Amino acid sequence: MNRTLKLSLLVVLGLTLAACGSTKKNEDTGSVTVDQSAPLVDRDYMNTGMTQSELEGLGIMGNPLSYKTLYFEYNSSAIDRRSEVIARAHALALGESGGAKVVLEGHADERGTRDYNLALGELRSQAVARLMSDAGAGNSELQAISYGEERPADASHSEAAWQANRRVEISY
């Protein structure tokens, strides 16, 4: 059964790829030919390994380097897919530029104690530093620091404000 599913998916993929090429009608014979030289899909849009529509599906409109804030879930230092794409793009750019000093500022929302929020901000900034280092930041100096809850992006007391405050800011 698993083999049948794989075969079916392969056939669907092949038909989809064949349909992506441009077609031309031969005036003399009336037959249609597929132009195999036409690009199928740009799978490396903005040097990300993704298509433009995949990036837009993550909420990244245009160049990922124009985004310098990575957001986190409550009580977590796990990097989500959107933030990972942005951090990897910055790491590649840093690796190509020959290195730079980058400060990764970790932040937390106001809930939790001051010490806990400082530690959580530190964990977040260190997680981004590890990802960027592993992704090719080259010999760039990545400094991970934490401000905890001390520098909120939004000082109001709501879920939207707290979500905006759970972040790491990339500063060149």
Side-chain angles (χ1 to χ4, degrees):
M1 175 108 166
N2 194 13
R3 188 176 215 169
T4 304
L5 178 62
K6 287 180 183 178
L7 182 59
S8 298
L9 289 174
L10 186 59
V11 169
V12 169
L13 178 63
L15 292 173
T16 302
L17 290 176
C20 287
S22 65
T23 59
K24 295 182 182 178
K25 186 173 182 181
N26 186 328
E27 300 278 331
D28 298 328
T29 64
S31 65
V32 175
T33 59
V34 176
D35 180 4
Q36 297 296 332
S37 66
L40 296 175
V41 177
D42 183 2
R43 296 245 17 117
D44 199 22
Y45 183 72
M46 296 286 178
N47 200 26
T48 60
M50 301 176 76
T51 66
Q52 181 178 2
S53 63
E54 288 171 332
L55 286 175
E56 289 173 357
L58 293 172
I60 301 171
M61 307 301 167
N63 192 341
L65 294 175
S66 62
Y67 295 85
K68 294 190 176 184
T69 304
L70 312 177
Y71 295 98
F72 293 81
E73 292 297 319
Y74 175 69
N75 199 27
S76 174
S77 61
I79 301 171
D80 67 12
R81 182 69 176 133
R82 178 182 185 275
S83 295
E84 178 185 353
V85 169
I86 294 167
R88 286 183 185 282
H90 281 280
L92 289 173
L94 288 168
E96 291 172 0
S97 71
K101 182 176 180 177
V102 180
V103 178
L104 303 168
E105 301 173 357
H107 299 269
D109 64 37
E110 64 187 15
R111 298 172 292 177
T113 66
R114 182 179 185 282
D115 288 341
Y116 179 82
N117 289 336
L118 280 169
L120 183 56
E122 183 74 18
L123 287 173
R124 289 172 175 164
S125 63
Q126 288 176 353
V128 174
R130 275 191 307 277
L131 187 148
M132 290 177 70
S133 180
D134 292 346
N139 61 354
S140 298
E141 182 184 335
L142 302 174
Q143 180 184 8
I145 62 173
S146 175
Y147 290 110
E149 64 192 67
E150 301 302 318
R151 295 185 179 184
D154 186 337
S156 50
H157 310 287
S158 66
E159 185 55 47
W162 295 329
Q163 187 174 10
N165 294 332
R166 297 188 301 259
R167 69 194 191 282
V168 167
E169 294 182 6
I170 302 170
S171 300
Y172 291 90

